[in-house]
Amino acid sequence: MAVLTITDSDVAYASGGSQTHYEAGEVIDAGEVCYIKAADGKAYLAINNVDDASATVKGFAVSSALKIGQFVSLSFGASIISVTSSTAGVPYYLASTAGKIFLESDIATGHRVCQVAVGAADNKLNININNSLVVAV
């Protein structure tokens, strides 16, 4: 499994789409993929191999929450973020490593399929969240 490496310094909100702010329920770095926990309304790192709730992606963190209780900005919709590297036209999916994304070929049997972005030119990601939650077979 090869997750796409996105570090805090790589992320820059580029354009379009929407952003909203949530209180963080755990430490979240910019570039990580998040969901909102229904029980407390806070942002947590999304992951594809736990349950439907934690695989229901809300957006990409475009700011960091260095401790629990800080606010994090999540970008979703048709927005674009800059990253260190991506491949144009290639879809990226929620990974089985919390907050990370990877290629479709890395999705394992029993894990939820959630496309979160498509690679664009000039090392950018078009955020395109599809929370299908279909379980891979």
Side-chain angles (χ1 to χ4, degrees):
M1 173 183 72
V3 298
L4 178 65
T5 301
I6 304 173
T7 64
D8 184 48
S9 61
D10 296 331
V11 177
Y13 176 74
S15 64
S18 300
Q19 283 189 58
T20 191
H21 309 287
Y22 290 93
E23 185 177 344
E26 64 184 325
V27 173
I28 298 170
D29 291 325
E32 292 185 310
V33 182
C34 299
Y35 77 101
I36 307 304
K37 186 180 283 189
D40 61 12
K42 295 178 183 179
Y44 292 85
L45 299 176
I47 189 166
N48 77 1
N49 62 352
V50 176
D51 57 24
D52 285 351
S54 59
T56 302
V57 174
K58 179 63 178 178
F60 277 81
V62 292
S63 65
S64 295
L66 302 178
K67 61 182 182 178
I68 295 170
Q70 285 187 326
F71 280 82
V72 61
S73 295
L74 300 183
S75 183
F76 56 95
S79 57
I80 300 171
I81 59 172
S82 298
V83 296
T84 301
S85 68
S86 68
T87 304
V90 171
Y92 292 90
Y93 293 82
L94 177 62
S96 53
T97 301
K100 306 302 181 192
I101 63 175
F102 58 16
L103 298 173
E104 182 177 16
S105 59
D106 292 319
I107 298 171
T109 300
H111 294 184
R112 287 148 193 85
V113 178
C114 177
Q115 180 180 325
V116 294
V118 177
D122 301 322
N123 292 326
K124 291 186 174 33
L125 290 176
N126 290 320
I127 298 173
N128 181 15
I129 299 169
N130 179 359
N131 286 311
S132 70
L133 303 179
V134 171
V135 176
V137 290

